[in-house]
């Protein structure tokens, strides 16, 4: 007994008075869990104010009519019904554009990231690092810095680099208005986004491939795996499912986050004949140009649900057993 | 935290994953990768080349990709210029530097303290809170631009310096990556410090932080990129011209509206693009090995 109290004095700060019972459950909880919540508090505050509240507000506003001047009026499901049945621009342009863009850029960029990461993993460290840096660098340039470059390259007069190049080769006879033509805007948006899609997910997958224990491959070859393709399907991907899933979520988020690209390239919202109009632009169009905040919020909710849906699909594909 | 060295059961190997040296079997990968890498690199080279072109080369016909007579004229013009509303360009750049430094420091503090609690502390809601953050990885900020605007308006943050910094502080990817990294720190290390009587704050500062430098570096890069490149915050939330950032100033240079301005703005925009891009590149080169070691903990289960 004597030794035990001695030990306790070493471990715990000495109590003011001896033998006093802990003052209630709150004190007890504070002692046990208080510091954990103290450490969490800064992040939690920022998380609630700038993520949870805006998402909740979008959810609530989506059931209202709100023009920012009058207080929101509850209108039930009206916004969603209008979105699905009466919004011709949404159904004819925005939704097909978004799906086309997302299906090519999402899985396309993701597949490309994995394939490049896998090839890079077959090289020694120095060339691998240099090449990975080059492939990653476009993803740092998102947004404004690249506008200058792409606008100059795809410029619509004969001074544009692509026009000048193609005129020189006699492929075209007249300069093409690349960024103002409905038929070219979408392919250019896809190309530019794919170009910058080797981001965090790409690095995670590269790290994941490098982490795989080489003995796995040895065991695989004993089990009759004879070519690199079988190796990828049966060893590489199953061994790095967590990284594959992380990469997939990053790819999905990046795809929908990249929505402003059409407006950036063409220089205006709406994009020419709505050719590059994505769901994000539709939200801005209604929210900041027409001040129909309730309707814009309903479109936001639709967008968040789409992201959630695609992430669920990725989850199904790469869920770990444990 | 060091990456395991890869060996065949025999000696060093030169083929397969993570080889130690060159092997002829790697040639096929170079053949595929190199053209692609060159293609990816072209726009980047273009940023550099374009920024140093004198006016006659910027508008040369036929246009030339590489600069012939490089000049610093675009940069000197840029820094001698006032924006249309009378704010010197250096003021935008100063704002960007301050905003980015403060945001990076604050983001590291906010994410790493929370990650320490989620990884090493014991409390009831731990799993739930981490699961919520994992769902938030899918959060697309651009989707809630409007409700965010309303929140910022209600908080009275419109047209303040703080609005550049606060919205970006909760970064679910950041918390996730640091938390996964701290999971790699053995519990015994923390317990040993507790037995020595160290407080939580001391453990966080002297034990955990020095062991998670790679993860901190990674968060620093991600926050840097998000903040330095952000033009929309200045567009949406700031009215006072002297509070806006360099990224915003660049968007005014590339706006297609004023006819004469486009010609004059070409050289300025080229120089400004390079100034925007270069810090990203330098910081990533300096910290890339830290990022790679963080990424090997990035798995999502």
């Amino acid at each position: 007994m004597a030794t035990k109290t001695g030990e306790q004095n070493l471990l715990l700060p000495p109590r003011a008075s001896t033998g006093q019972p802990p003052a209630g459950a709150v004190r007890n909880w504070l002692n046990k869990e208080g510091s954990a919540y103290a450490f969490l508090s800064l992040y939690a505050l920022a998380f609630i104010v700038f993520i949870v509240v805006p998402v909740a507000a979008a959810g609530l506003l989506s059931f209202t009519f709100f023009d920012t001047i009058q207080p929101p009026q509850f209108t039930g499901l009206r916004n969603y019904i209008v979105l699905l049945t009466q919004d011709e621009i949404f159904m004819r342009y925005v939704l097909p554009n978004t799906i086309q863009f997302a299906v090519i850029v999402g899985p396309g960029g993701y597949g490309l990231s994995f394939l490049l990461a896998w090839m890079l993993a077959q090289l020694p460290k120095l060339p691998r690092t240099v090449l990975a840096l080059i492939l990653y660098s476009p993803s740092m340039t998102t947004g404004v810095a690249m506008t200058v470059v792409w606008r100059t390259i795809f410029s619509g007069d004969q001074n544009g680099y692509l026009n000048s190049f193609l005129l020189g080769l006699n492929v075209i006879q007249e300069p093409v208005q690349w960024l103002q033509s409905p038929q070219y805007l979408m392919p250019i948006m896809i190309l530019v986004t794919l170009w910058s899609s080797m981001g965090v997910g790409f690095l995670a997958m590269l790290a994941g491939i490098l982490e795989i224990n080489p003995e796995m491959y040895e065991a695989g070859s004993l089990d009759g795996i004879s070519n690199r393709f079988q190796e990828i399907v049966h060893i590489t991907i199953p061994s790095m499912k967590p990284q594959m899933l992380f990469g997939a979520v990053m790819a999905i988020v990046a795809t929908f986050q990249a929505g402003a690209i059409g407006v950036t390239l063409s220089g205006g919202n709406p994009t020419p004949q709505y050719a590059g109009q994505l769901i994000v632009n539709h939200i801005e169009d209604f929210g900041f140009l027409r001040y129909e905040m309730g309707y814009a919020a309903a479109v936001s909710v639709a967008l968040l649900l789409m992201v959630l849906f695609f992430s669920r699909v990725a989850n199904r594909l790469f869920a770990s057993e444990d | 935290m060091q990456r395991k060295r890869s060996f065949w059961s025999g000696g060093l190997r030169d083929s397969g994953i993570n080889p130690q040296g060159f092997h002829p079997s790697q040639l096929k990968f170079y053949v595929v990768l190199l053209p692609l890498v060159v293609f990816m690199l072209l726009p980047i080279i273009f940023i550099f080349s374009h920024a140093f072109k004198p006016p006659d080369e910027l508008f040369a016909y036929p246009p030339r990709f590489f600069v012939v007579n490089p000049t610093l004229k675009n940069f000197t013009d840029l820094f001698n210029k006032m924006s249309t509303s009378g704010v010197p360009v250096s003021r935008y750049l100063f704002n960007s530097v301050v905003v980015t430094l403060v945001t990076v420091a604050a983001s590291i503090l906010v994410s790493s303290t929370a990650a320490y609690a989620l990884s090493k502390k014991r409390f009831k809601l731990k799993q739930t809170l981490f699961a919520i953050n994992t769902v938030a990885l899918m959060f697309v900020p651009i989707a809630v631009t409007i409700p965010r605007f309303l929140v910022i308006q209600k908080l009275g943050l419109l047209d303040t310096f703080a609005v550049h910094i606060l919205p970006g502080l909760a970064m679910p990817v950041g918390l996730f990556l640091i938390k996964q990294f701290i999971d790699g720190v053995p519990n015994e290390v923390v317990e040993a410090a507790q037995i020595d009587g160290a407080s939580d704050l001391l453990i966080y500062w002297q034990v955990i932080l020095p062991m998670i430098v790679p993860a901190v570096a990674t968060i620093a890069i991600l926050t840097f990129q998000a903040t330095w490149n952000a033009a929309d915050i200045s567009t949406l939330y700031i009215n006072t011209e002297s509070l806006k950032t360099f990224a915003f100033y660049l968007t005014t240079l590339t706006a297609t509206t004023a006819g004469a301005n486009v010609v004059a703005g070409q050289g300025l925009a080229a120089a400004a693009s390079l100034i925007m891009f270069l810090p990203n590149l330098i910081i990533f080169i300096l910290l890339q090995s830290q990022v790679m070691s963080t990424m090997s903990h990035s798995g999502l289960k």
Side-chain angles (χ1 to χ4, degrees), chain A residues 106-162:
Chain A
Y110 180 59
L112 198 63
S113 295
F114 174 77
L115 216 66
L116 290 174
W118 182 79
M119 285 196 276
L120 285 177
Q122 320 289 324
L123 303 178
K125 188 163 187 199
L126 182 66
R128 182 174 71 225
T129 309
V130 173
L131 295 182
L133 172 67
I134 294 173
L135 292 173
Y136 178 78
S137 60
S139 78
M140 312 182 222
T141 62
T142 46
V144 281
M146 288 322 288
T147 329
V148 179
V149 175
W150 297 117
R151 287 251 193 96
T152 316
I153 290 176
F154 292 113
S155 166
D157 53 30
Q158 57 182 6
N159 269 22
Y161 283 74
L162 187 62

Side-chain angles (χ1 to χ4, degrees), chain A residues 82-268:
Chain A
V82 170
L83 179 68
L84 292 176
T85 57
Q86 287 167 35
D87 190 340
E88 202 195 337
I89 289 168
F90 183 75
M91 279 300 170
R92 264 188 65 192
Y93 302 105
V94 176
L95 196 59
N97 282 350
T98 307
I99 290 171
Q100 188 195 0
F101 182 83
V103 163
I104 300 178
V105 169
Y110 180 59
L112 198 63
S113 295
F114 174 77
L115 216 66
L116 290 174
W118 182 79
M119 285 196 276
L120 285 177
Q122 320 289 324
L123 303 178
K125 188 163 187 199
L126 182 66
R128 182 174 71 225
T129 309
V130 173
L131 295 182
L133 172 67
I134 294 173
L135 292 173
Y136 178 78
S137 60
S139 78
M140 312 182 222
T141 62
T142 46
V144 281
M146 288 322 288
T147 329
V148 179
V149 175
W150 297 117
R151 287 251 193 96
T152 316
I153 290 176
F154 292 113
S155 166
D157 53 30
Q158 57 182 6
N159 269 22
Y161 283 74
L162 187 62
N163 272 335
S164 161
F165 180 71
L166 293 178
L167 284 170
L169 290 177
N170 266 327
V171 177
I172 52 173
Q173 308 306 321
E174 297 267 295
V176 177
Q177 292 281 339
W178 298 107
L179 299 175
Q180 303 305 325
S181 326
Q183 76 263 43
Y184 295 122
L185 182 59
M186 181 56 93
I188 292 175
M189 284 162 59
I190 290 173
L191 186 78
V192 169
T193 315
L194 277 179
W195 172 78
S196 63
S197 63
M198 259 51 80
V200 178
F202 161 72
L203 295 180
M205 287 194 277
L206 177 55
I209 298 172
L210 291 170
E211 283 283 302
I212 296 170
N213 187 344
E215 283 167 18
M216 299 281 290
Y217 294 102
E218 256 185 309
S221 68
L222 293 177
D223 286 345
I225 284 176
S226 53
N227 61 43
R228 299 312 281 274
F229 181 72
Q230 288 181 337
E231 205 178 86
I232 291 180
V233 174
H234 294 292
I235 300 176
T236 311
I237 292 179
S239 315
M240 50 174 286
K241 271 185 177 173
Q243 272 89 3
M244 296 295 287
L245 182 56
F246 179 76
V249 172
M250 291 296 109
I252 293 164
V253 170
T255 303
F256 286 99
Q257 184 77 18
I261 183 88
V263 171
T264 316
L265 286 173
S266 68

